[in-house]
Amino acid sequence: MLRALLYFLFLAACIGIGILFIFPSTETTFDFRSYSSSRNSIVLPRLALSNISSRGRTREKQSKNPLECCCGRRLFPPSKVRVNAREDTILEGAVATVIRAYRAFLYPEGAAMTFRPGSLLTDGTRFYLVSEGTLRDFATPETAGRLGYRQNSSCGFAPEDLVNEKDGPMIGEEASPLIEDALFSIGGNYYQAKSNTLVPFVSDRAFFSQFRVEDALPRDPGFLETHPVTNDTTLGFLPGTLLSYGEAVYMVSTANTLRPIDSPDTFLAKGYQWDSIIAANGEEFGIYTLGGLYSIKQPHPDGTVFYAEDRARSFVVENGTKRVLPNDPIAMQFRSVVPVTVHSLPPEQSCMLKKSFWIGSYGCSIPLDAFAQELAGEYQFSLTAKNDLDLDNLNADFIRYLNRANLSAFVNDLITKLASRY
């Protein structure tokens, strides 16, 4: 009898541990009394319109300046979130709102993206070089021919494709062969003109990540003897490109900076794809300096391309904005960056905070069933109150309930993680 009881208890314990493993509850928190604590799993809260002070205090009407924060959790499908706030003032009636979307995709929309410097363009009649951020046309077809340009090598466009371009000075007969941003193919290598100097690309792959072969003017090796070549700078891959070297994966965040991605979980939660990684060789990797570690707590770096599938439009993250790729010729210039697929208008769910049993504690629950089909692996929260805030801590709990759908989600998630490691 005792042995049977022990077997039963052992079996019950195994089942209980299995349920907790397959159907976990995850708590995320932020302690306003300790901003730099490594235990803070909610991304540093911020006010929509200004900076938040220490201890979570606001000094202006909070209803017009909601508190925002982010949780990077990849639970499929999430079921419920509970938001608690402890403070010295009343939060009764404050509204907690959550959407499932990447923080960088929620950036304000900036100016539309334009053609990349060095691009050759034509409308069938006029012939242009994009130089110093402007559109420069040639004085005559003979001028273009003298400098080595041919209209049949340029990228065609419709007049409406140029509405966002700025007109620059015309390229006349007196123009130097090293027009700013012009591209050259010399002896099997590629170069770009910068300040009357030729700057080499580190490899063909780096050049083709940004340009077409037709964009570069072919020149004999003797061209290098009459025009200076810099040894101080080397051009690399297009920002946003994913590179691997050794066992690590990096994102090209600026012209010569790589940011290492800290884990496979971050890679997947941010929507990246394994088959988009380019295996860099030692020479390609060696031109970069290493930037800060990129973790799940941080927004997508500059250069990331988002594709909003419900609008069939693409955007590039740049300096705290997202810039639309307004037409196909410009979108083709980012073909080397595999986009992160998103929905442009994710649904939102809200609840009203009520006073809890504990003094100074408020909370509410939000069912997240509406987010089950969303693509982003992050949740963005906002807290809007009638009065100024004075917070001690903020908690958000994710709960995966015991049901068939969540069991299937666990199995799929496990298979994905195993595939990412092996």
Side-chain angles (χ1 to χ4, degrees):
M1 183 67 180
L2 181 59
R3 178 175 296 179
L5 179 61
L6 290 175
Y7 283 146
F8 174 78
L9 292 176
F10 176 76
L11 181 61
C14 290
I15 293 174
I17 293 173
I19 291 175
L20 291 176
F21 178 71
I22 298 174
F23 305 98
S25 296
T26 303
E27 178 181 3
T28 60
T29 185
F30 189 89
D31 189 345
F32 289 96
R33 297 162 297 183
S34 182
Y35 265 58
S36 59
S37 173
S38 60
R39 297 181 181 180
N40 289 334
S41 48
I42 292 178
V43 174
L44 183 63
R46 65 268 176 195
L47 289 170
L49 303 178
S50 62
N51 293 325
I52 191 168
S53 68
S54 61
R55 290 206 64 197
R57 292 191 177 98
T58 62
R59 295 186 175 89
E60 58 273 332
K61 196 69 173 177
Q62 206 269 333
S63 60
K64 297 181 180 180
N65 193 9
L67 175 70
E68 299 177 342
C69 56
C70 168
C71 293
R73 294 291 168 184
R74 196 176 177 85
L75 297 176
F76 296 108
S79 300
K80 181 184 288 187
V81 62
R82 177 174 53 86
V83 181
N84 290 322
R86 295 179 181 176
E87 39 27 83
D88 300 328
T89 57
I90 297 175
L91 265 184
E92 191 86 29
V95 176
T97 303
V98 61
I99 63 173
R100 184 169 169 181
Y102 293 116
R103 183 168 21 138
F105 189 71
L106 299 179
Y107 287 162
E109 191 165 328
M113 190 63 70
T114 54
F115 285 97
R116 186 169 297 118
S119 302
L120 296 176
L121 308 173
T122 184
D123 60 0
T125 303
R126 302 175 70 187
F127 186 45
Y128 303 89
L129 172 68
V130 181
S131 173
E132 298 183 275
T134 64
L135 201 62
R136 303 181 62 183
D137 60 344
F138 293 85
T140 64
E142 290 74 22
T143 301
R146 181 181 65 80
L147 293 170
Y149 293 96
R150 299 289 182 271
Q151 280 189 310
N152 59 8
S153 67
S154 57
C155 176
F157 60 86
E160 57 268 23
D161 293 339
L162 297 182
V163 295
N164 300 305
E165 307 294 328
K166 296 180 180 179
D167 290 331
M170 184 176 291
I171 302 173
E173 289 293 333
E174 73 286 354
S176 164
L178 295 187
I179 303 171
E180 187 70 9
D181 296 318
L183 298 162
F184 300 91
S185 173
I186 308 171
N189 298 314
Y190 291 92
Y191 302 82
Q192 188 166 35
K194 296 288 184 182
S195 302
N196 290 314
T197 302
L198 292 171
V199 182
F201 282 83
V202 68
S203 67
D204 292 358
R205 297 194 302 176
F207 174 83
F208 290 126
S209 74
Q210 305 191 48
F211 300 101
R212 306 169 305 136
V213 65
E214 295 86 359
D215 289 318
L217 296 176
R219 288 288 186 264
D220 294 329
F223 192 76
L224 297 176
E225 299 175 3
T226 56
H227 297 87
V229 179
T230 181
N231 295 318
D232 300 329
T233 305
T234 305
L235 301 174
F237 291 86
L238 179 67
T241 305
L242 293 169
L243 300 179
S244 67
Y245 188 72
E247 297 182 356
V249 176
Y250 306 83
M251 161 140 335
V252 181
S253 63
T254 63
N256 288 99
T257 304
L258 290 177
R259 294 191 62 185
I261 300 176
D262 68 350
S263 70
D265 289 339
T266 295
F267 185 91
L268 294 173
K270 292 297 185 178
Y272 298 126
Q273 301 177 35
W274 296 113
D275 57 4
S276 65
I277 299 172
I278 298 174
N281 58 39
E283 184 178 9
E284 292 170 331
F285 182 78
I287 70 168
Y288 292 100
T289 59
L290 292 184
L293 193 67
Y294 177 48
S295 72
I296 199 169
K297 292 185 177 183
Q298 298 166 325
H300 288 75
D302 285 1
T304 299
V305 176
F306 287 113
Y307 175 69
E309 63 175 9
D310 51 341
R311 293 172 58 189
R313 302 205 79 180
S314 296
F315 302 83
V316 178
V317 177
E318 184 176 282
N319 297 326
T321 65
K322 63 177 188 289
R323 301 182 63 184
V324 67
L325 303 181
N327 52 58
D328 290 341
I330 290 179
M332 280 297 295
Q333 296 194 326
F334 291 84
R335 61 192 177 276
S336 67
V337 178
V338 177
V340 176
T341 304
V342 296
H343 292 153
S344 60
L345 295 173
E348 67 177 33
Q349 298 288 306
S350 301
C351 68
M352 187 173 293
L353 269 64
K354 298 180 180 179
K355 192 172 181 60
S356 301
F357 176 78
W358 300 104
I359 296 176
S361 179
Y362 299 82
C364 61
S365 298
I366 305 177
L368 301 183
D369 296 336
F371 303 137
Q373 302 304 316
E374 289 301 309
L375 304 172
E378 297 176 359
Y379 295 88
Q380 307 295 328
F381 294 89
S382 66
L383 182 63
T384 306
K386 298 178 180 179
N387 306 308
D388 291 345
L389 296 179
D390 188 3
L391 307 178
D392 283 342
N393 56 65
L394 179 69
N395 300 300
D397 300 332
F398 294 85
I399 304 171
R400 179 181 278 178
Y401 289 110
L402 198 159
N403 55 45
R404 180 177 296 179
N406 284 341
L407 177 61
S408 176
F410 168 80
V411 173
N412 292 335
D413 200 25
L414 181 62
I415 292 173
T416 300
K417 288 182 177 180
L418 290 174
S420 70
R421 287 169 169 78
Y422 303 103

